[in-house]
Amino acid sequence: MSKKRPGGKSLPSAPSPATGRSPDREVPAATEVPAPAPAPDPKRWWALAVIALAQLMVILDGTVVNIALPSAQHALGMSDADRQWVITAYTLAFGGLLLLGGRIADLVGRRRAFVIGLAGFAAASALGGAAAGPGMLFAARALQGAFAAVLAPSALSLLATTFTDPKERARAFGVYGALAGGGSAVGLIVGGLLTEYLNWRWSLYVNVPIALAALLGAPVFLRDRPGRRGGHLDVPGALLGCGGLVALVYGFSEAEPRGWSSPFVLTLLVAGVLLLAAFVWWQSRAGSPLLPLRLVKDRVRAGSLATMGLATIGMFGVFLFLTYYLQVVLGYPPVRTGLAFVPISAGIVIGATQIAARLLPRTAPRILMSSGMVLAAVGMVLLSRLTVHAQYVPHVLPALLLLGVGMGLTFMPVYATATAGVPAQDAGVASAVLNTVQQMGASLGTVLLNTVATSATGRYVDAHERGPAHDGATLDAGMVHGFSVAYWCSAGVLLLAALVAGLTVRPSKDPS
């Protein structure tokens, strides 16, 4: 019975000595009491440092070799036709094998896959640095891409499963987004410094100490449960998915030298589309699919993936065109060219870690994504106004800062949103899908925008044939004109990304 206190209100009866429960209050059965949430890993911030180090290495390696390529070509006697394979071999293996690498991480365990990817990447980098000829360098770059395809999704999935508190998750993904967006610019800086003060081989050797540091920290700080028991690899799905991605990436890379109307390029692109269509059909019927289609049917996740794809298509021309503009038109040496990209890296860090990470816990992701893409589009418009007589501080610097902050505001919530709510057993492949979209967007954007710039340059030069013979100034003006047209196209793609994010990254019950 309840006891009465002076105010007339009942007090609950004392707990029963035998059961410890109040006799007049119904208590849910023990099976209905939710299990307490596991205590956060006290080493999780050190785990973030290890993951971030590995991610920086993978992203950095996409551009660190670019500035060193002329020196490597001269040293190894590469032909102009073959030099593209230093870049293409890496992107082909990386982009084509990401889905397979993500599923391998889910099957064998993400920490184990992380360690395998790190060790393999370090060994391939050492092999490339010691290359005695072009074939050895091409093979090493392909091996780097293959191990990166295992490393990148396992790193992102480890991050997604380590940080579950919303505020901590925002901070962790802020760091990751800053590295993912700024790694390419950092690669240009590091490549310029290493090439000018050491030699081109160190653009590959530099990965070895980075990988060793991450390898030492992985067993100590990373926590992960074992791989899926009883799971098996979807071999037909792997062949169809990886084959389709490789065909598309290779087709994009060959479209520039051969032209879009080349039968070889068209065959690759059509084959890639057909293989991916067959892949989707097979995934809807496979017992253990390589890519469970439920992951990409979610509207918010699909919108985040589309935003990432469009953002990388629009952004990747910046590094290519601005590198040529600074070196060829303004005459910057490699180191100065690399340092010129510091502001975009700083802007990404500020946008991802100081703005997006602080706002995401209380702001809709679509608002951050759309705002970031609009800022980046404004930066592109500023770049489109460059001339052969422009100066860095008043004309280039403001655009780079806007681009950096915009990328940081966009990439951080994209990574956090696209990996949220994914079952732990599918975290690896979900991360691989996001990395694949980013890689495909970079490949497609580079080819498309370079084609636009080259065509516009050719038209500009042809229009000035009535005057005196072409000189360096005319060619420089034509190049800048081509870049300007490409920057306008990039701005349009980024605005489309802002629109897609605003319309699709919206939960079904969004009060705003």
Side-chain angles (χ1 to χ4, degrees):
M1 292 182 60
S2 299
K3 300 177 182 178
K4 296 282 186 179
R5 63 174 166 180
K9 295 184 180 179
S10 298
L11 295 172
S13 302
S16 165
T19 64
R21 300 175 184 170
S22 176
D24 60 350
R25 178 174 296 182
E26 185 176 351
V27 177
T31 56
E32 297 177 3
V33 177
D41 184 359
K43 298 179 179 179
R44 60 193 181 281
W45 295 110
W46 285 106
L48 173 62
V50 173
I51 294 169
L53 200 61
Q55 175 66 13
L56 176 63
M57 183 180 68
V58 171
I59 299 297
L60 178 148
D61 225 65
T63 54
V64 70
V65 179
N66 289 25
I67 291 181
L69 185 54
S71 300
Q73 180 182 359
H74 176 74
L76 299 180
M78 262 182 270
S79 67
D80 289 344
D82 289 341
R83 67 183 177 186
Q84 65 157 329
W85 282 102
V86 177
I87 308 299
T88 305
Y90 181 82
T91 56
L92 268 180
F94 187 26
L97 299 176
L98 269 167
L99 282 179
L100 180 61
R103 183 50 82 193
I104 288 174
D106 288 331
L107 292 176
V108 306
R110 285 171 283 277
R111 187 175 70 175
R112 183 180 299 175
F114 183 85
V115 170
I116 292 171
L118 270 177
F121 199 93
S125 299
L127 179 66
M136 187 174 176
L137 180 58
F138 300 156
R141 290 287 286 168
L143 283 174
Q144 277 187 310
F147 283 109
V150 176
L151 178 59
S154 61
L156 182 55
S157 57
L158 279 168
L159 188 70
T161 54
T162 299
F163 292 91
T164 54
D165 177 77
K167 290 186 177 180
E168 290 191 348
R169 184 180 178 87
R171 291 172 59 191
F173 275 93
V175 173
Y176 190 90
L179 292 175
S184 297
V186 173
L188 295 173
I189 300 168
V190 173
L193 292 170
L194 293 175
T195 301
E196 186 156 330
Y197 293 111
L198 294 173
N199 60 54
W200 68 268
R201 296 182 184 275
W202 279 96
S203 65
L204 293 161
Y205 284 144
V206 69
N207 294 318
V208 177
I210 297 176
L212 289 178
L215 278 171
L216 291 175
V220 179
F221 301 120
L222 297 183
R223 296 288 180 266
D224 185 36
R225 62 186 184 183
R228 182 188 298 180
R229 295 181 179 179
H232 64 275
L233 188 63
D234 174 19
V235 176
L239 294 175
L240 291 171
C242 296
L245 291 172
V246 166
L248 284 181
V249 174
Y250 189 25
F252 293 153
S253 65
E254 289 295 306
E256 180 184 349
R258 296 174 182 263
W260 289 98
S261 60
S262 165
F264 183 69
V265 171
L266 291 175
T267 300
L268 285 172
L269 296 179
V270 171
V273 171
L274 292 177
L275 286 171
L276 290 181
F279 170 75
V280 172
W281 172 83
W282 174 254
Q283 295 309 283
S284 65
R285 289 160 175 77
S288 297
L290 185 69
L291 172 60
L293 295 182
R294 65 180 180 275
L295 294 179
V296 293
K297 287 181 178 179
D298 178 78
R299 186 183 65 183
V300 172
R301 185 171 296 112
S304 299
L305 294 173
T307 301
M308 173 62 82
L310 290 169
T312 50
I313 288 174
M315 294 299 306
F316 238 73
V318 174
F319 304 114
L320 176 65
F321 300 146
L322 204 53
T323 298
Y324 275 95
Y325 176 78
L326 294 173
Q327 288 195 5
V328 177
V329 179
L330 299 187
Y332 282 21
V335 171
R336 191 177 178 186
T337 300
L339 293 176
F341 285 95
V342 168
I344 197 171
S345 299
I348 291 171
V349 171
I350 293 171
T353 63
Q354 301 304 311
I355 302 176
R358 296 174 185 270
L359 293 179
L360 185 61
R362 57 181 183 273
T363 305
R366 59 187 170 84
I367 295 177
L368 295 176
M369 296 179 197
S370 297
S371 301
M373 286 293 90
V374 170
L375 278 179
V378 173
M380 285 292 185
V381 172
L382 292 181
L383 287 178
S384 72
R385 301 171 63 86
L386 294 178
T387 67
V388 292
H389 303 296
Q391 296 179 348
Y392 179 80
V393 173
H395 303 118
V396 179
L397 180 59
L400 292 184
L401 290 174
L402 285 174
L403 286 166
V405 173
M407 291 170 68
L409 281 175
T410 301
F411 284 0
M412 181 268 163
V414 164
Y415 277 109
T417 305
T419 57
V422 177
Q425 67 269 20
D426 293 326
V429 73
S431 303
V433 172
L434 183 55
N435 278 282
T436 300
V437 169
Q438 186 176 11
Q439 184 66 28
M440 294 297 291
S443 299
L444 179 58
T446 300
V447 174
L448 288 177
L449 294 173
N450 195 52
T451 301
V452 169
T454 303
S455 301
T457 298
R459 289 192 300 269
Y460 182 94
V461 172
D462 291 341
H464 290 76
E465 283 184 344
R466 299 189 186 93
H470 299 321
D471 55 16
T474 303
L475 294 176
D476 285 351
M479 182 184 299
V480 172
H481 172 73
F483 293 164
S484 176
V485 174
Y487 286 136
W488 276 109
C489 294
S490 294
V493 173
L494 296 177
L495 289 177
L496 177 60
L499 181 63
V500 168
L503 294 178
T504 62
V505 187
R506 184 191 297 266
S508 56
K509 295 182 179 179
D510 190 347
S512 62

